[in-house]
Amino acid sequence: MAETLVSNTSASPISLAAAQETRSTCCYCGVGCGVIIEHKAGQITGVRGDPDHPANFGRLCTKGSTLHLTMTPDSLAVRALYPELRTSRDASGTNARTRTDWNTALDHAADKFAAVIREHGPDAVAFYISGQLLTEDYYVFNKLAKGLIGTNNVDTNSRLCMSSAVVGYKQTLGADSPPACYDDVKHTDCLFLAGSNTAFAHPILFRRIEDARAANPAMKMIVVDPRRTDTAEQADLHLALLPGTDIALYNAMLHVMLWEEWIKPDYIAAHTEGFDALKRTVRAYTPEMAAEICGLTKKEIETAAEWFATSKATMSMYCMGLNQSTHGTHNNAALINLHLATAQIGKPGAGPFSLTGQPNAMGGREVGGLSNLLSGHRDLTNADHRAEVARLWGIADVPEKPGLSAVELFDAMAAGTVKAVWISCTNPAQSMPDQNLVHKALQTCDFVVVQEAYRNTETARFADLLLPATSWGEKTGTVTNSERRISRVIQAVPAPGEARHDWDTAIDFARRLGQKIENANTATLFPYANEEEIWNEHRESTRGRDLDITGLSYAMLEQKGPQQWPFPQGAESGKVRLYEDGIYPTASGRAKFVAAEHKDTAEKADARYPIRMTTGRLRDQWHGMSRTGTVARLYAHEAEPMIHLNPVDLDKRGMKDGDLARVKSRRGEIIIKVLASESVRIGQAFLPMHWGGNAMSGAGANALTLKTFDPFSKQPELKHSAVQFEKYKPSKTETTEPKALVAMRRMSSESNALQLMEELREQIKEMPQASLTLAGRDTPVVILKALTEALTPEAERALDVALSLADDFECVSYRDVRRDIAKRARVVDNKLAAVRLTGEVKAASWLQDMMVNGGAATEARKWLLAPLAEPPAGNAARGKIICNCFDVSENEISAALRTGESLEQVQARTRCGTNCGSCVPELKRIAFRAGS
């Protein structure tokens, strides 16, 4: 039991002796859950949900509940611990680096940036930052670029996820201010979820939805999504529209509302403008017309319109499915039109609510973290706004020209016009679209700084200078979640090695750079001694703005807990929901209808690329897996990258579940295993976004996606690409049929496992279609999967040495030369320690389970020494882990249901679904299919 619960300020010492608990927040999605970090002797020992935090009331999802496992001493194997400076760059752009000290590193960076600015001007440098930074970090980077250097080239990975929501709010409601809140879920009578697999992407918010539906069985839930996701499975109405047809759907719903007189003319007349133009637009969008465009039925559209308009309170929630589109802004606006036309806004249970993807995307938006924004929700194109910020910062002016957005930035790097870039807390070499171009950009750019907690990301290998940053549990500052709620982030443990806070590094660099730039007064621009002074300046920048937080302070956030904005000076509390008075932050005080027309996706499916591929998240992984990828148990639900395809499409190509496919788009290709799934329509596919070049062949999903972006938000269409696929076959230059290879080793710790993965990456460079995963729970197992024409004796020896399967270890082996099958294994104390299978790999899952669970290797010995193609009878693999909290597999659940147990009985016996609840939608689906 911890001795103390602390909310220490940054000036307070961190105890290294007594067991303590520190309140902070989760560093994953935008729900912004509160956590209590357990720590002792400078090490994080556990984590649990904060019962007093209003975002989650103590609940955590599978990712949040394993955060402490990402911060064990083992995690240092992949952490950046000291500055590293490039000594050479090879032809691929990969940089060899050596350790250096902070002074040398930052002086070198300042020299490089200053030289580029002198020779090519301030717009030849840029910063690419992240929605995972704290607000204080964001503010300093914004000021460094726009205030000191004089360039607006500071953009963020939030451009890839939330920028369409920002512009959608501004075009309609007048400001980037989400009007609803989490508490509205329990007040709504109709929940409209669009482009969001909330059950996976925002699981704790989905728990609230489940609670609200249990308390109000009459509540309707509509889900708009091309896939039948876990969220869609729970819907009263699933609108499985074709990708990119949202505007046609919403316009048709409004057409029905007009025809049936379900709109609110009095509200429209008193509080809005532009409705007549919208009426003329939607007149053509009959349900019949939209049904053909969207791939829906007329009845589905009419039902959705009726439920939305006639409900006492309708709330919409939407995410990447709307935003990541070349018409993402108008997707948002068309949905907001429905709220304005039916007065479903400004009251409990109603309103359009954008769900942010990252923990502090909102905080970044508050301080002007995009290349077209300024602090306090100001616009760069507004001269008065620029003057206000210039006065606050004490500078002559802020540059007028908007900076480069994310896609434009990497285009400019590839073209050689941006010659120095600073990348902080993000991984564009995995997350940006059109990875071939992005890698070229990183190779071409003269000087690349990567400020990062993890040294093994895809982007880190391009760094000319790698700077170690603090991570979750080590940082201090504030974040803002999706419902405008600001939480204090408290440092629990000291930073490892020489890692520094992002804001601290940026200020140190700014002061050094300022000495090399004419007329730069860094003493005035960067006077901060700690993060609270930064936040206080940010707070002042909001005075009188829609997000006014002048009534808040660090002390209040620590004493009274998280608070919503606006919270102006003198207020007793923040505002729970906005626009209750019908007055909007526009010139006229009225909300604006936007007349948007349906547009096709940027890339159409055709005879050559007939499959419409969408991308998205899995339940237990996060972004590019630099953090979640270090936790073995988070691979238990989906152990490897797979592309989800309809069985009909597989059958047409003579393929089956588990086959390897070559998937191509107009930009690149990957080799990946297929998963037969009826959750996608015929002619469609789904590819998880998480795996990149560090874990599979090629660059992952974004080797296929395109960079075309929305003209208003400049957010790229990551959600849709046209692809083709075929069963993997050797290319014309290959002379032999490639063999399947699976190599696994049971490790003593995740640190050792991660180190082995790094070693194996070096060994498998010449192995085509190689992928690496980390599977298991408390016992990690490193798994290498590949197709290879043949292992050279040298490569085979190197691989076996790494796996402890070389001749100088006690190993059992079997080789069938005629069938080209080989099996090799090491057994220690009757436990399977390592195995390599070539040519015949059907038993891999069974052997993996045996290694993870530490079972006796007796049956494995029998199989390994005999020419059997299948695992021994009765010893099938456990299958997919459904409940990560209590390690309950799909096979075990299904078997119990077949014996007559009800789902409730299975849950009572195994406890599955009774902790974080992330697996509840999947449990219900399994039970439904079993007829239970």
Side-chain angles (χ1 to χ4, degrees):
M1 178 66 66
E3 297 176 4
T4 335
L5 183 64
V6 296
S7 291
N8 45 316
T9 64
S10 60
S12 302
I14 299 170
S15 170
L16 297 182
Q20 289 186 303
E21 295 181 339
T22 300
R23 283 196 165 96
S24 190
T25 60
C26 178
C27 58
Y28 289 125
C29 78
V31 173
C33 294
V35 299
I36 296 175
I37 304 172
E38 302 163 6
H39 52 103
K40 184 176 182 180
Q43 293 293 332
I44 292 175
T45 57
V47 65
R48 67 181 191 275
D50 184 350
D52 297 324
H53 197 290
N56 60 315
F57 299 107
R59 286 171 161 170
L60 289 178
C61 71
T62 56
K63 296 184 291 292
S65 61
T66 56
L67 266 170
H68 61 296
L69 299 178
T70 72
M71 299 297 289
T72 64
D74 286 350
S75 70
L76 296 180
V78 292
R79 288 293 299 273
L81 299 175
Y82 45 79
E84 297 177 29
L85 188 60
R86 175 177 68 85
T87 56
S88 64
R89 180 185 284 196
D90 66 24
S92 70
T94 301
N95 297 337
R97 298 182 302 266
T98 58
R99 180 173 180 171
T100 188
D101 62 88
W102 273 103
N103 284 331
T104 301
L106 292 180
D107 281 342
H108 181 71
D111 287 341
K112 287 285 190 179
F113 269 68
V116 170
I117 292 167
R118 281 194 301 270
E119 185 173 352
H120 303 284
D123 286 339
V125 303
F127 297 83
Y128 186 62
I129 54 180
S130 165
Q132 294 165 67
L133 291 174
L134 304 187
T135 301
E136 294 76 2
D137 303 323
Y138 248 124
Y139 188 86
V140 169
F141 274 115
N142 196 44
K143 194 175 188 182
L144 164 60
K146 299 169 184 174
L148 174 63
I149 297 175
T151 179
N152 291 320
N153 288 344
V154 53
D155 213 51
T156 166
N157 61 13
S158 296
R159 179 74 67 181
L160 307 182
C161 57
M162 299 316 305
S163 53
S164 290
V166 172
V167 185
Y169 274 142
K170 291 170 71 174
Q171 284 189 358
T172 55
L173 307 183
D176 177 23
S177 302
C181 62
Y182 298 156
D183 198 55
D184 281 319
V185 172
K186 70 183 182 185
H187 297 295
T188 194
D189 290 291
C190 178
L191 182 62
F192 191 88
L193 290 165
S196 171
N197 185 11
T198 319
F200 275 18
H202 300 91
I204 297 305
L205 182 56
F206 198 73
R207 303 286 83 75
R208 285 198 179 200
I209 294 170
E210 291 172 330
D211 292 345
R213 298 183 78 195
N216 178 16
M219 173 182 164
K220 300 294 186 183
M221 188 168 89
I222 304 169
V223 173
V224 183
D225 198 304
R227 290 194 300 138
R228 191 159 184 80
T229 63
D230 275 37
T231 306
E233 289 269 4
Q234 307 299 310
D236 297 294
L237 176 62
H238 174 209
L239 301 176
L241 81 176
L242 295 173
T245 60
D246 300 84
I247 293 173
L249 169 63
Y250 307 145
N251 282 356
M253 288 172 62
L254 184 55
H255 178 106
V256 174
M257 294 173 189
L258 285 162
W259 183 264
E260 299 292 345
E261 298 183 346
W262 288 333
I263 63 168
K264 301 295 183 185
D266 291 346
Y267 187 90
I268 292 169
H271 301 295
T272 72
E273 58 190 19
F275 191 61
D276 287 342
L278 179 59
K279 279 198 300 184
R280 289 192 294 271
T281 297
V282 303
R283 187 178 298 146
Y285 287 83
T286 65
E288 294 86 353
M289 168 197 174
E292 186 173 343
I293 293 172
C294 299
L296 300 171
T297 67
K298 173 176 176 286
K299 179 64 176 175
E300 287 173 326
I301 295 172
E302 291 171 340
T303 301
E306 180 178 4
W307 290 359
F308 192 108
T310 62
S311 165
K312 292 180 181 178
T314 295
M315 180 182 189
S316 64
M317 291 180 178
Y318 46 96
C319 201
M320 305 309 164
L322 262 64
N323 297 334
Q324 291 178 335
S325 163
T326 48
H327 42 82
T329 296
H330 283 169
N331 287 344
N332 280 255
L335 178 54
I336 294 171
N337 286 342
L338 301 183
H339 284 277
L340 295 174
T342 56
Q344 295 285 11
I345 189 171
K347 61 182 181 181
F353 191 15
S354 161
L355 301 179
T356 47
Q358 297 187 91
N360 200 33
M362 284 291 290
R365 288 148 64 175
E366 292 163 15
V367 302
L370 295 173
S371 60
N372 57 311
L373 302 178
L374 286 170
S375 192
H377 284 179
R378 293 176 174 88
D379 287 311
L380 271 168
T381 55
N382 185 306
D384 291 337
H385 289 181
R386 294 196 306 276
E388 288 168 7
V389 172
R391 284 194 296 271
L392 176 70
W393 287 351
I395 59 176
D397 56 62
V398 175
E400 178 180 357
K401 178 185 174 184
L404 299 170
S405 68
V407 170
E408 294 169 324
L409 169 58
F410 284 89
D411 281 349
M413 288 165 59
T417 55
V418 167
K419 297 181 179 299
V421 66
W422 189 298
I423 299 169
S424 179
C425 197
T426 186
N427 187 17
Q430 192 267 350
S431 60
M432 286 286 293
D434 195 355
Q435 280 290 293
N436 286 334
L437 182 138
V438 171
H439 287 203
K440 176 189 174 185
L442 290 165
Q443 292 163 10
T444 302
C445 190
D446 291 347
F447 188 61
V448 177
V449 180
V450 176
Q451 185 176 350
E452 177 60 77
Y454 295 92
R455 68 184 309 276
N456 65 332
T457 68
E458 288 87 344
T459 304
R461 76 182 183 90
F462 293 100
D464 295 297
L465 178 63
L466 179 68
L467 301 176
T470 51
S471 187
W472 176 83
E474 304 155 1
K475 293 176 74 68
T476 175
T478 58
V479 295
T480 308
N481 72 0
S482 291
E483 63 169 352
R484 298 173 280 106
R485 190 178 297 277
I486 300 173
S487 294
R488 182 80 168 89
V489 174
I490 305 292
Q491 184 176 4
V493 296
E498 298 176 16
R500 293 169 62 173
H501 298 318
D502 294 279
W503 61 263
D504 183 43
T505 298
I507 288 172
D508 195 348
F509 168 73
R511 289 170 178 165
R512 295 168 194 260
L513 180 63
Q515 296 173 9
K516 305 174 188 299
I517 297 178
E518 291 183 11
N519 303 318
N521 188 345
T522 54
T524 301
L525 277 172
F526 302 98
Y528 321 111
N530 54 51
E531 72 279 3
E532 185 171 10
E533 292 181 6
I534 301 168
W535 192 83
N536 287 342
E537 183 174 306
H538 157 58
R539 176 183 64 186
E540 184 58 32
S541 79
T542 69
R543 187 177 295 276
R545 305 289 299 166
D546 64 295
L547 71 162
D548 193 324
I549 57 170
T550 50
L552 291 178
S553 66
Y554 268 21
M556 178 184 287
L557 293 173
E558 291 167 15
Q559 293 163 10
K560 295 187 177 181
Q563 302 293 324
Q564 287 175 282
W565 59 254
F567 199 125
Q569 191 170 7
E572 294 292 322
S573 63
K575 201 162 180 58
V576 175
R577 58 188 59 85
L578 306 181
Y579 315 131
E580 292 171 297
D581 56 3
I583 299 174
Y584 294 88
T586 62
S588 64
R590 295 167 175 265
K592 298 179 180 181
F593 287 101
V594 174
E597 295 278 9
H598 163 72
K599 295 182 178 67
D600 285 330
T601 52
E603 192 168 63
K604 298 179 183 179
D606 58 22
R608 189 177 176 194
Y609 296 97
I611 303 296
R612 306 182 71 167
M613 186 191 80
T614 62
T615 61
R617 300 177 187 273
L618 296 177
R619 191 190 75 184
D620 293 352
Q621 295 295 348
W622 170 252
H623 279 203
M625 298 165 56
S626 57
R627 186 188 305 275
T628 53
T630 66
V631 181
R633 69 172 59 184
L634 293 179
Y635 288 87
H637 188 245
E638 293 254 357
E640 59 185 312
M642 293 181 286
I643 186 167
H644 302 210
L645 289 153
N646 191 282
V648 172
D649 286 316
L650 292 177
D651 188 60
K652 285 179 181 176
R653 292 160 178 82
M655 297 177 65
K656 61 183 184 303
D657 186 69
D659 282 348
L660 281 164
R662 189 192 300 270
V663 184
K664 291 183 180 180
S665 75
R666 292 176 175 87
R667 290 152 298 282
E669 70 174 61
I670 58 174
I671 309 298
I672 191 169
K673 184 183 287 188
V674 301
L675 175 69
S677 173
E678 295 188 356
S679 67
V680 291
R681 284 186 176 196
I682 298 170
Q684 295 183 19
F686 170 74
L687 184 59
M689 59 174 275
H690 306 289
W691 279 272
N694 278 352
M696 65 177 291
S697 171
N702 288 317
L704 307 175
T705 55
L706 68 162
K707 64 177 184 174
T708 311
F709 54 70
D710 178 285
F712 303 101
S713 68
K714 298 190 176 181
Q715 180 163 354
E717 190 161 277
L718 286 163
K719 270 294 175 187
H720 179 268
S721 307
V723 302
Q724 59 174 254
F725 78 96
E726 62 183 2
K727 189 171 183 177
Y728 177 79
K729 299 175 184 177
S731 67
K732 292 180 180 179
T733 59
E734 295 169 353
T735 57
T736 59
E737 186 72 23
K739 295 186 295 183
L741 178 146
V742 175
M744 300 182 283
R745 182 176 163 196
R746 189 171 187 260
M747 304 301 298
S748 59
S749 70
E750 291 188 0
S751 173
N752 291 335
L754 292 166
Q755 288 175 347
L756 177 59
M757 290 179 78
E758 291 298 316
E759 293 172 16
L760 288 179
R761 285 194 181 101
E762 293 301 313
Q763 304 296 341
I764 64 175
K765 280 184 176 178
E766 303 305 317
M767 236 183 253
Q769 294 78 52
S771 65
L772 279 166
T773 57
L774 179 69
R777 296 187 62 76
D778 297 328
T779 300
V781 171
V782 174
I783 306 173
L784 163 65
K785 301 182 179 182
L787 281 185
T788 179
E789 296 173 53
L791 279 177
T792 65
E794 294 77 16
E796 185 171 315
R797 168 71 181 174
L799 181 62
D800 284 351
V801 167
L803 293 168
S804 298
L805 285 168
D807 292 335
D808 45 349
F809 293 97
E810 293 184 6
C811 297
V812 295
S813 63
Y814 169 86
R815 186 180 293 272
D816 185 333
V817 177
R818 183 178 60 83
R819 293 195 299 160
D820 206 10
I821 290 173
K823 310 173 192 178
R824 190 168 180 83
R826 185 176 180 223
V827 178
V828 179
D829 297 329
N830 203 31
K831 299 284 192 281
L832 190 61
V835 64
R836 172 169 58 81
L837 310 175
T838 55
E840 175 49 75
V841 298
K842 291 183 180 179
S845 296
W846 169 63
L847 294 169
Q848 175 190 324
D849 286 344
M850 186 176 295
M851 295 170 78
V852 169
N853 297 308
T858 306
E859 291 299 315
R861 282 178 182 270
K862 294 178 182 177
W863 181 83
L864 287 161
L865 294 172
L868 298 177
E870 301 288 348
N875 288 284
R878 296 180 66 214
K880 180 179 179 180
I881 300 298
I882 300 299
C883 177
N884 220 327
C885 298
F886 299 112
D887 195 25
V888 186
S889 75
E890 181 174 16
N891 291 352
E892 291 159 353
I893 296 164
S894 297
L897 293 171
R898 285 195 298 270
T899 65
E901 279 192 76
S902 66
L903 179 58
E904 291 75 19
Q905 289 171 323
V906 175
Q907 289 188 270
R909 178 172 56 81
T910 67
R911 301 174 67 193
C912 63
T914 61
N915 188 35
C916 78
S918 297
C919 63
V920 169
E922 205 160 359
L923 289 172
K924 290 179 179 178
R925 183 170 69 248
I926 294 169
F928 176 79
R929 289 175 178 172
S932 176

